[in-house]
Amino acid sequence: MSDQPIVTAAPTESKELTSFADLVSLCKRRGFVFPSSEIYGGIGSCWDYGPLGVELKLNIKNSWWKAMTDRDDVEGLDASILMHPRTWEASGHVEGFVDPLVDCKTCKGRFRADKLEHASCGKKLSLQPGKHSECALTEPRLFNLMFKTHMGPLEDSANIVYLRPETAQGIFVNFENVQQSARQKIPFGIAQIGKAFRNEITPGNFIFRTREFEQMEMQFFVKPGTDMEWFENWKQTRIDWHISNGLRRSKLRFHQHGPTELAHYAKAAFDVEYEFPIGWQEIEGVHNRSDFDLKRHQEFSGKKCEYFEEATKEKFIPFVVETSVGCDRSLLSVLCDAYRLEGERTVLKLHPKLAPYKVAVFPLMKKPELLELTDKVFGTVKKHFRSTYDESGTIGKRYRRQDEIGTPYCVTIDYDALANGAHPGTVTIRERDQMTQERIPVENVVAYIQDKMANWKSE
Ligand code: ATP
């Protein structure tokens, strides 16, 4: 692309993220994630996505949506959050969507009885609840995680509705609508992105566990007997998707649910886990839900949820393989994986397709003779990539600012680029990960960045 040598920076030791605290502070400072209602002191476990966070989140959603709906056998859906309350009786959530809760009479703390090893005693943070001599834990009692509200002006038990705790049920109740309107044949899937709400007993760890979050779910309807084959197929497809977003394979693994972990609807389940600074944790669930949901909706609604297979003239209730990933948790894994501390600089080595800005354009100095060419270059790259412009501070400081928000390419217009300069009509492109710099003719900038983006690899 250029006859100019590539300038490489001296390698520095690269350190990974060791606690969420550093990430929380970067996210606040640079406008990725803010505590919700902060001016009122915040509200537990709720977070707002700032200008860069919302871009990153949209890019993750687009990556997922494209991976799902570019397939001919997956259709999209956007179902409502509030559903007929019978939905949640049929799905088993009214009865069974519960976690065991224990209270400590001494510190007044409230904990999930099955996750005590991840919680801290109110008297001594280094101990788990129950391990301090003064702990007085109650017997576990079951607590339903669904948020309840009322539909219409009267607040009585007749008009209770729930904020959906998962997006899946909107898909099940629309199985026939989608299958018939899209003229799909089994096997086929329905994909949806949307908010879900769970009144978690112990939310925390930044955006890892919150009470309001977004899910990206896909239910794949298959003929009974073919379900385990599809299950294996989707397991692989889903781990590959996380890798396609730049996550390192070594930081991902599967965890198979044992008999005591399986949800009430599941015949088989695997979690995709990521190694966060708090250890290996689930980011996605892949479940074989059998025919549980459609059978229950058929029973509770009185409407047939069967499929007629033209070729064999057979009628059956399809089995469902579900893939369910939290958008916020996926975003957290992407940020954790990208975060590096290298000497003086903090850098987010985000996959370029996910980075909020792909390109930053700088004039070397704020001088009129440089601004004309800078405007031209900025105008061109903006048409192709989401880009930002910065003219304040030293170039080194501007690089650091872009490193911290994960911008993969910085384009600088210097005096050499001017008509009377040593390399007229050229710019310098500095690449975020290796900090290499290359001088490129202006007309090649777009193609150069497109090529770099297409061939980007995680380190
Ligand atoms: P966990 O064991 O962490 O509570 P789960 O097994 O209940 O999760 P699923 O019901 O399988 O989770 O939900 C699918 C995905 O939705 C999870 O893998 C996760 O990414 C996301 N998710 C679930 N609960 C939350 C939450 N409270 N906050 C953020 N994301 C969540």
Side-chain angles (χ1 to χ4, degrees):
M1 280 262 179
S2 142
D3 55 358
Q4 296 298 311
I6 298 177
V7 182
T8 34
T12 350
E13 196 198 344
S14 192
K15 292 190 194 135
E16 306 218 354
L17 188 71
T18 49
S19 89
F20 282 145
D22 294 334
L23 188 63
V24 174
S25 128
L26 184 151
C27 283
K28 167 92 199 292
R29 196 169 62 247
R30 303 312 311 273
F32 281 96
V33 184
F34 308 125
S36 165
S37 331
E38 202 183 4
I39 60 166
Y40 290 102
I43 170 167
S45 87
C46 295
W47 300 89
D48 298 340
Y49 287 84
L52 298 184
V54 72
E55 280 301 323
L56 177 58
K57 205 174 187 199
L58 271 175
N59 293 340
I60 291 175
K61 288 195 243 184
N62 284 338
S63 163
W64 186 87
W65 191 254
K66 207 170 147 41
M68 287 295 172
T69 61
D70 272 2
R71 299 170 58 117
D72 295 333
D73 58 359
V74 176
E75 303 289 342
L77 180 76
D78 184 10
S80 77
I81 289 174
L82 302 176
M83 298 181 70
H84 194 291
R86 288 280 282 166
T87 309
W88 305 109
E89 290 170 32
S91 68
H93 282 81
V94 170
E95 205 181 326
F97 195 54
V98 287
D99 276 339
L101 168 86
V102 289
D103 287 302
C104 177
K105 290 184 190 154
T106 311
C107 73
K108 309 292 177 225
R110 185 158 272 190
F111 311 102
R112 248 177 87 168
D114 58 336
K115 302 257 179 191
L116 286 178
E117 67 277 18
H118 300 301
S120 292
C121 162
K123 282 275 168 191
K124 191 159 190 214
L125 292 179
S126 59
L127 291 179
Q128 86 175 50
K131 299 283 183 197
H132 191 277
S133 55
E134 290 178 35
C135 291
L137 298 186
T138 59
E139 282 301 307
R141 62 195 159 89
L142 294 178
F143 172 76
N144 195 301
L145 302 185
M146 280 201 294
F147 277 96
K148 265 186 208 167
T149 187
H150 298 269
M151 189 102 135
L154 284 180
E155 288 198 8
D156 66 29
S157 58
N159 56 20
I160 284 179
V161 287
Y162 300 96
L163 300 189
R164 64 181 177 198
E166 61 176 25
T167 55
Q169 299 305 323
I171 289 181
F172 292 126
V173 299
N174 276 297
F175 163 67
E176 198 186 339
N177 283 338
V178 175
Q179 186 262 319
Q180 298 204 344
S181 61
R183 300 170 58 236
Q184 279 284 0
K185 288 194 173 63
I186 270 176
F188 80 96
I190 305 177
Q192 174 170 220
I193 301 177
K195 289 263 182 174
F197 303 82
R198 295 182 187 177
N199 202 359
E200 298 276 3
I201 297 169
T202 42
N205 285 318
F206 192 27
I207 52 173
F208 178 80
R209 188 179 301 285
T210 53
R211 294 188 169 119
E212 172 181 346
F213 55 98
E214 251 176 313
Q215 285 188 315
M216 306 188 284
E217 290 201 306
M218 193 279 314
Q219 271 66 37
F220 202 73
F221 300 87
V222 303
K223 191 170 181 176
T226 64
D227 46 308
M228 282 317 285
E229 201 180 314
W230 276 108
F231 180 71
E232 287 304 324
N233 188 306
W234 276 109
K235 254 176 69 188
Q236 192 56 45
T237 306
R238 293 309 304 147
I239 202 160
D240 289 347
W241 179 77
H242 292 282
I243 295 166
S244 79
N245 284 339
L247 297 196
R248 288 160 295 172
R249 181 64 183 84
S250 59
K251 294 283 209 167
L252 291 164
R253 72 177 189 193
F254 284 117
H255 162 76
Q256 181 171 16
H257 283 212
T260 54
E261 286 171 283
L262 281 178
H264 59 276
Y265 52 73
K267 176 175 161 188
F270 274 83
D271 292 338
V272 179
E273 292 188 335
Y274 176 77
E275 192 178 18
F276 288 100
I278 51 168
W280 289 96
Q281 298 286 343
E282 168 182 347
I283 53 174
E284 170 153 13
V286 183
H287 308 124
N288 180 342
R289 290 181 80 127
S290 70
D291 55 0
F292 177 86
D293 301 87
L294 288 181
K295 228 184 199 162
R296 294 274 290 193
H297 286 304
Q298 176 164 297
E299 186 188 330
F300 278 67
S301 69
K303 297 265 166 20
K304 289 271 178 233
C305 294
E306 291 170 338
Y307 174 79
F308 177 69
E309 192 175 56
E310 199 58 57
T312 58
K313 308 285 178 226
E314 267 181 89
K315 240 189 211 171
F316 54 84
I317 295 183
F319 268 43
V320 171
V321 175
E322 162 183 88
T323 73
S324 175
V325 56
C327 182
D328 314 75
R329 230 179 249 187
S330 169
L331 185 142
L332 185 60
S333 67
V334 162
L335 285 175
C336 289
D337 212 62
Y339 186 100
R340 300 282 194 293
L341 201 56
E342 296 181 345
E344 292 286 286
R345 73 171 189 153
T346 305
V347 52
L348 291 183
K349 296 190 170 177
L350 294 170
H351 192 303
K353 77 174 176 184
L354 299 185
Y357 293 119
K358 320 298 176 199
V359 187
V361 179
F362 314 145
L364 181 67
M365 298 176 79
K366 214 165 136 187
K367 295 279 189 230
E369 58 271 35
L370 291 176
L371 295 186
E372 193 184 327
L373 182 57
T374 309
D375 283 351
K376 190 178 140 200
V377 173
F378 186 45
T380 306
V381 295
K382 246 186 356 188
K383 286 193 200 128
H384 297 268
F385 316 101
R386 198 169 158 79
S387 307
T388 182
Y389 173 84
D390 192 359
E391 58 181 23
S392 65
T394 64
I395 285 291
K397 275 206 178 119
R398 284 182 257 172
Y399 284 155
R400 295 291 172 269
R401 263 182 231 140
Q402 297 305 324
D403 285 344
E404 222 187 13
I405 62 172
T407 309
Y409 311 104
C410 292
V411 179
T412 304
I413 291 84
D414 60 11
Y415 287 102
D416 279 352
L418 301 180
N420 56 356
H423 305 289
T426 62
V427 296
T428 304
I429 304 192
R430 184 260 199 182
E431 184 265 340
R432 174 198 67 199
D433 297 347
Q434 297 300 321
M435 296 189 284
T436 50
Q437 295 186 26
E438 209 172 342
R439 194 170 272 281
I440 304 288
V442 168
E443 60 275 19
N444 291 352
V445 168
V446 170
Y448 176 92
I449 294 173
Q450 277 167 341
D451 180 61
K452 285 275 177 189
M453 282 179 67
N455 293 302
W456 183 89
K457 296 245 169 344
S458 57
E459 292 176 350

